[in-house]
């Protein structure tokens, strides 16, 4: 774990959970597993604050606890899981794309709260949807419940590990910490809930007294209320399933770039048919017959069965080997091949394309030509590079040194004699793709950390102006609710001067640009992490 990763994890924890949680989480990332009192002693915080910070981190699946042999409970932070916070906007956008606004809000609530019961998620999402609708319209709980069930059926949400049931009382003392158990058989089983009702709107200022009474009433009646039927059954986001979806999208995009849109739609259909029945780590998808694929194609693609068979044959014969043929029954049985070798080949192709793009932008087209030449020829001497790339010797030496100094390429010495004399030694240049990918990943982490620091700096420097704009927006909202005249609203808007308005527009543009840059860099991070992980396993 590098210092850049620790710094980025610290920034993410501070932005989402505050300074106390950031201090405890960063210490655990640096030091590894430690018991509670040692953490409190080393971070210099009261024991109660450390305990609450650990509760927050455990709630969001960033810290796990384990009972040691001596009876102490050690808490360990997972830096890789902390860095996944950077990908939360992408998870939410994916849910919105696949399951509209309701699915988006369900995923957002689970990401914001870490773990929640299904009934709590449904109630919260119903209220949020009702707030955004026109007066007189509400959302029924059954609609949100059915959408939650769809997310569970497609494995985007899953149950959390639970503590085993406590047996009958015995003389033995309970353990200091429970051992959580994951029930694989009920991992995606949705409990049967009879949630009846519609969403409630937030109370306005005129109903403040009624709202205060209604807020106090449930507190008085909590003793008589029964726990919900799903009490103790908590749900969380299945991050691996989202990553599987991102990988599938990369495969579809690669097929579209290599062949055409119809081929990519056929591959998308095959992936969609087997997304639930095939685990993310499976070597290949379930076999699908040509007839099943034909029936499951989207309605917009009016292609005949013979043409589909021709497309499947072309995909099976393609060197990328994304689609393979496993039999001839049912018009031909086809699978999406995701064996380590094939997936590694696809990821390596994408990673190399990313490296080539970076060399092109940073060093120029001639350096990119040398880089592609080394990728194709594996090992070359200086004179061979000059001849093959058709670049003058002086310029080629300068370009090679620039790329060598940044570790984009490597230099290997092969001596003819044991004395390593330069005149009797071969100097071969090459590209170590794995090493270059790790270097690029390190720089991507550093880039995201710099982007976050810049965004925080901009917000700090313009804090007064931003607070003033928020106050005026709140005043406008309350005045509009009372039905004020247009002249009065315009007078309130003029409280922000023209230069301040221009500065706010500039700040908004900068913030949007920084956010978009973070998301774009995260796409590169996901690709490089997948390639490095695949290479290490391979």
């Amino acid at each position: 774990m590098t210092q850049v990763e620790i710094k980025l994890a610290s920034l993410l924890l501070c932005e989402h959970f505050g300074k106390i949680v950031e201090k405890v989480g960063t210490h655990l990332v640096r030091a590894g597993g430690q018991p509670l009192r040692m953490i409190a002693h080393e971070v210099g915080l009261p024991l109660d604050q450390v305990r609450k910070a650990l509760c927050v981190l455990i709630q969001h699946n960033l810290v796990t606890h384990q009972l040691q042999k001596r009876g102490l409970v050690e808490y360990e932070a997972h830096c890789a899981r902390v860095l996944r916070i950077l990908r939360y906007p992408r998870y939410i956008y994916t849910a919105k794309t696949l399951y509209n606004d309701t699915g988006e809000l369900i995923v957002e609530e689970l990401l914001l709260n870490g773990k929640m019961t299904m009934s709590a998620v449904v109630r919260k999402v119903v209220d949020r949807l009702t707030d955004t609708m026109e007066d007189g319209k509400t959302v029924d709980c059954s609609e949100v419940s059915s959408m939650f069930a769809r997310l569970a059926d497609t494995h985007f949400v899953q149950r959390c590990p639970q503590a085993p049931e406590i047996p009958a009382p015995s003389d033995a003392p309970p353990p200091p910490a429970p051992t959580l158990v994951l029930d694989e058989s009920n991992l995606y089983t949705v409990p049967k809930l009879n949630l009846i009702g519609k969403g409630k709107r937030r109370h306005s200022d005129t109903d403040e007294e009624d709202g205060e009474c209604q807020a106090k009433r449930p507190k008085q009646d909590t003793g008589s209320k029964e726990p919900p039927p799903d009490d103790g059954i908590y749900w969380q986001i299945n991050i691996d399933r989202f990553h599987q979806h991102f990988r599938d999208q990369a495969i579809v995009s690669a097929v579209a770039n290599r062949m055409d849109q119809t081929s990519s739609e056929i591959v998308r259909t095959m992936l969609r048919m087997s997304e639930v029945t095939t685990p993310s780590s499976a070597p290949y998808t379930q076999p699908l017959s040509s007839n099943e694929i034909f029936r499951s194609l989207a309605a917009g693609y009016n292609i005949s069965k013979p043409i589909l068979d021709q497309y499947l044959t072309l995909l099976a014969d393609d060197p990328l080997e994304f689609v393979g043929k496993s039999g001839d029954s049912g018009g031909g049985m086809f699978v999406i091949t995701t064996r380590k070798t094939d997936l590694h080949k696809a990821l390596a192709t994408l990673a190399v394309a990313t490296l080539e793009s970076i060399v092109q932008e940073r060093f120029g087209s001639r350096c990119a030509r040398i880089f592609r030449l080394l990728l194709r020829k594996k090992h070359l001497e200086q004179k061979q590079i000059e001849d093959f790339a058709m670049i003058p010797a002086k310029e080629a030496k300068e370009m090679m040194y620039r790329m060598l100094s940044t570790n984009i390429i490597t230099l290997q010495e092969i001596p003819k004699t044991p004395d390593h004399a330069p005149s009797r030694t071969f100097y071969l240049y090459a590209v170590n793709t794995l090493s270059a990918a790790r270097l690029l990943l390190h720089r991507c982490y550093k880039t995201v950390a710099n982007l976050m620091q810049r965004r925080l700096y901009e917000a700090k420097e313009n804090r007064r102006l931003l607070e003033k704009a928020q106050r005026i927006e709140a005043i406008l909202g309350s005045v509009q609710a009372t039905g004020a005249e247009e002249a009065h609203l315009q007078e309130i808007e003029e409280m922000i001067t023209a230069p301040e308005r221009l500065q706010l527009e500039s700040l908004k543009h900068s913030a949007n640009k920084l956010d978009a840059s973070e998301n774009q860099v995260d796409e590169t991070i996901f690709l490089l992490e997948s390639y490095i992980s695949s290479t290490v396993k391979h």
Side-chain angles (χ1 to χ4, degrees):
M1 187 183 310
T2 63
Q3 292 297 320
V4 173
E5 291 178 83
I6 296 174
K7 179 182 178 181
L8 179 57
S10 175
L11 288 170
L12 289 169
L13 289 173
C14 185
E15 183 177 6
H16 287 80
F17 304 108
K19 293 184 178 180
I20 295 177
V21 175
E22 178 267 329
K23 195 171 185 180
V24 174
T26 305
H27 172 73
L28 285 176
V29 169
R30 291 181 185 274
Q34 287 186 346
L36 175 62
R37 293 190 178 276
M38 186 179 292
I39 298 170
H41 173 71
E42 295 192 4
V43 300
L45 291 173
L47 196 65
D48 186 51
Q49 289 186 356
V50 175
R51 187 180 288 112
K52 291 178 180 177
L54 287 173
C55 287
V56 171
L57 292 169
I58 292 172
Q59 172 74 15
H60 288 267
N61 306 308
L62 306 178
V63 166
T64 55
H65 58 82
Q66 188 174 4
L67 182 63
Q68 300 299 319
K69 292 181 180 179
R70 296 183 179 180
L72 293 175
V73 180
E74 281 195 355
Y75 299 90
E76 183 179 1
H78 303 282
C79 185
R81 183 63 183 80
V82 176
L83 296 179
R84 294 294 173 269
I85 297 175
L86 187 65
R87 210 162 288 158
Y88 280 7
R90 197 174 176 191
Y91 298 149
I92 295 172
Y93 179 75
T94 301
K96 181 180 178 65
T97 305
L98 297 175
Y99 299 102
N100 62 50
D101 294 341
T102 307
E104 174 196 8
L105 291 179
I106 291 173
V107 171
E108 184 179 344
E109 286 295 334
L110 287 174
L111 289 174
L112 288 175
N113 296 278
K115 302 181 182 77
M116 291 181 74
T117 61
M118 178 181 171
S119 57
V121 174
V122 170
R123 292 290 184 189
K124 225 167 188 181
V125 171
V126 164
D127 291 342
R128 287 184 61 180
L129 286 172
T130 303
D131 285 338
T132 60
M133 299 184 76
E134 299 176 359
D135 292 339
K137 293 185 178 180
T138 57
V139 179
D140 193 55
C141 289
S142 60
E143 299 177 18
V144 182
S145 298
S146 62
M147 181 59 70
F148 192 99
R150 286 181 61 191
L151 284 166
D153 291 339
T154 51
H155 299 180
F156 282 105
V157 298
Q158 64 180 14
R159 290 193 183 191
C160 300
Q162 292 179 320
E165 295 183 2
I166 301 174
S170 60
D171 297 335
T179 303
L180 301 179
V181 180
L182 190 63
D183 187 4
E184 296 285 348
S185 60
N186 294 325
L187 196 58
Y188 306 106
T189 304
V190 177
K192 295 181 179 179
L193 300 178
N194 189 18
L195 295 176
I196 302 173
K198 299 181 182 293
K200 297 179 180 178
R201 297 182 182 275
R202 295 178 184 176
H203 298 287
S204 60
D205 296 337
T206 55
D207 301 332
E208 186 177 354
E209 296 181 359
D210 296 339
E212 186 178 353
C213 297
Q214 291 178 3
K216 290 181 179 178
R217 196 171 296 126
K219 295 181 181 179
Q220 298 171 357
D221 300 339
T222 48
S224 60
K225 278 189 176 180
E226 294 182 0
D230 63 339
D231 187 32
I233 303 176
Y234 289 91
W235 293 80
Q236 62 184 358
I237 295 299
N238 186 3
I239 289 180
D240 292 336
R241 177 66 182 88
F242 277 96
H243 290 175
Q244 181 186 353
H245 177 75
F246 298 155
R247 184 201 67 190
D248 293 348
Q249 294 299 106
I251 291 175
V252 171
S253 177
V255 173
N257 292 333
R258 186 172 180 84
M259 301 184 73
D260 61 0
Q261 194 64 32
T262 305
S263 301
S264 67
E265 185 60 31
I266 293 171
V267 173
R268 190 197 306 274
T269 302
M270 296 176 66
L271 289 168
R272 188 174 63 247
M273 292 170 66
S274 58
E275 62 185 358
V276 177
T277 58
T278 304
S280 58
S281 58
Y284 43 80
T285 63
Q286 295 295 325
L288 301 170
S289 69
S290 174
N291 296 326
E292 291 175 334
I293 299 171
F294 180 72
R295 287 194 296 267
S296 301
L297 276 175
Y301 284 85
N302 298 320
I303 61 174
S304 61
K305 182 67 168 54
I307 295 178
L308 173 64
D309 292 337
Q310 292 177 9
Y311 269 108
L312 289 172
T313 303
L314 286 173
L315 287 167
D317 294 339
D318 189 78
L320 286 181
E321 299 178 355
F322 283 142
V323 176
K325 192 170 184 180
S326 62
D328 295 321
S329 60
M333 302 295 287
F334 296 88
V335 295
I336 300 290
T337 55
T338 56
R339 293 188 297 275
K340 288 181 181 178
T341 54
D342 298 333
L343 181 59
H344 171 70
K345 186 190 299 184
L347 291 173
T349 303
L350 295 173
V352 166
T354 304
L355 289 172
E356 288 180 6
S357 175
I358 289 173
V359 171
Q360 172 93 19
E361 295 297 326
R362 186 172 182 182
F363 300 105
S365 59
R366 288 191 169 188
C367 287
R369 189 194 308 171
I370 295 173
F371 186 81
R372 286 191 292 268
L373 181 64
L374 288 173
L375 284 171
R376 180 175 297 179
K377 299 292 186 180
K378 305 299 181 185
H379 294 86
L380 288 175
E381 290 186 277
Q382 177 76 39
K383 185 68 170 64
Q384 292 175 315
I385 293 173
E386 297 167 8
D387 294 339
F388 284 128
M390 295 182 290
I391 297 175
K394 184 179 179 181
E395 294 181 14
K397 287 178 182 177
E398 182 183 352
M399 294 173 186
M400 297 298 295
Y401 176 76
R402 286 172 59 195
M403 290 192 287
L404 187 63
S405 62
T406 55
N407 297 322
I408 294 293
I409 62 175
T410 60
L411 179 62
Q412 184 179 3
E413 299 180 3
I414 303 178
K416 295 180 184 178
T417 56
D419 58 355
H420 287 261
S423 60
R424 293 185 294 274
T425 302
F426 293 109
Y427 294 94
L428 300 180
Y429 291 92
V431 176
N432 187 337
T433 312
L434 180 61
S435 176
R438 283 177 172 155
L439 175 67
L440 179 57
L441 181 62
H442 178 270
R443 289 181 178 171
C444 285
Y445 285 139
K446 191 173 182 179
T447 301
V448 174
N450 291 341
L451 288 169
M452 292 184 65
Q453 287 180 317
R454 181 65 188 180
R455 178 160 46 81
L456 294 173
Y457 172 79
E458 292 284 350
K460 184 179 179 181
E461 287 294 309
N462 300 276
R463 183 176 58 186
R464 290 187 178 181
L465 180 60
L466 292 172
E467 290 176 353
K468 179 181 178 181
Q470 289 177 355
R471 286 196 302 269
I472 292 176
E473 285 181 6
I475 294 171
L476 277 173
S478 59
V479 170
Q480 284 176 348
T482 58
E485 296 179 356
E486 188 67 28
H488 186 39
L489 295 175
Q490 188 175 359
E491 183 181 348
I492 296 174
E493 290 178 354
E494 290 175 354
M495 293 171 66
I496 298 181
T497 61
E500 289 177 338
R501 201 175 297 279
L502 288 175
Q503 190 175 357
L504 282 172
E505 288 293 328
S506 176
L507 280 173
K508 185 178 179 182
H509 177 72
S510 299
N512 292 338
K513 199 169 183 179
L514 290 171
D515 289 338
S517 300
E518 288 181 26
N519 293 331
Q520 290 173 355
V521 175
D522 180 65
E523 292 181 9
T524 306
I525 289 174
F526 172 74
L527 171 64
L528 294 175
E529 283 179 344
S530 302
Y531 166 67
I532 292 170
S533 175
S534 172
T535 305
V536 170
K537 291 178 182 178
H538 180 64

